[in-house]
Amino acid sequence: MKASIFITCICDSLFPQVGEAMVRVLEKLGVTLDFPPEQTCCGQPALSSGYWEDARPVAETMLTAFKHSQYVVAPAGSCITAVKEYYPLLFEKDTEKYRQAKELSAKLFEFSEFVVKVLKQEDVGARFPHRVTYHSSCHARRFLNTDQYVRTLLANVKEIDYVPLPHEEACCGFGGTFSVKLPEISEAMVDEKARNILETKADVLVGVDLSCLMNIDGRLKKQKTNVRVMHVAELLDEGMRM
């Protein structure tokens, strides 16, 4: 099994440890990985803000970078959604690039989805003796429907004390430029999310979208809580080394 890592901007810039954890887990599961150096931003910020012409050359770079990849794995649902939802629309008038966009969409997977759906691994042999709750991010839940794979992986972690998050379907309030354009609403939403997390008395909040985790972690730290915020790849990586 061979796969390429699509690391995403926020992972590369702010959470490199998540990418490293993802690589360690996948390699332990027998995957041979590569990192196409041509990859860049997927264009999500421009796409979400309506600057489609500016996003097109960025998307073309991504199509070239992963043209020969068997599978592509990423740690962020929002970036995957940008590729799957918008790339075919970006290139609907270009037959060849439209074909490439559909091909990339078909072989692009969120980390947990790749582990369970492609590798057929529900139990990776992790042990994590902590109380954990899970934030279901909007893109993973509403666009990709990958929540099921995260839950499967968590259910098979030994000694985990999993507790459901109240109103887990609620957005954390980040939403990219939404948090910049409407900061008061965004702040109220993440405050509510933080209250729900603290209600669970969890030691760890886990998720699969780094932008959401960044937003929630910032609020929890500002409130001086002791909740540890982790990507699911970090939890599995730590648990597989226990």
Side-chain angles (χ1 to χ4, degrees), residues 182-194:
L182 299 168
E184 294 85 2
I185 298 176
S186 175
E187 183 176 352
M189 293 170 73
V190 74
D191 272 340
E192 181 179 25
K193 180 65 66 173

Side-chain angles (χ1 to χ4, degrees), residues 174-188:
F174 183 68
T177 56
F178 171 82
S179 61
V180 177
K181 295 177 180 177
L182 299 168
E184 294 85 2
I185 298 176
S186 175
E187 183 176 352

Side-chain angles (χ1 to χ4, degrees), residues 188-238:
M189 293 170 73
V190 74
D191 272 340
E192 181 179 25
K193 180 65 66 173
R195 285 195 298 272
N196 291 332
I197 293 166
L198 294 176
E199 183 181 322
T200 68
K201 301 188 184 305
D203 306 307
V204 175
L205 170 75
V206 69
V208 296
D209 232 315
L210 292 171
S211 53
C212 299
L213 295 180
M214 175 183 68
N215 187 41
I216 296 169
D217 188 39
R219 178 55 55 176
L220 290 172
K221 285 180 176 176
K222 189 170 184 178
Q223 295 178 356
K224 302 187 185 307
T225 74
N226 294 317
V227 180
R228 185 181 179 191
V229 176
M230 304 177 74
H231 189 278
V232 67
E234 292 180 286
L235 186 150
L236 295 178
D237 175 48
E238 187 172 310

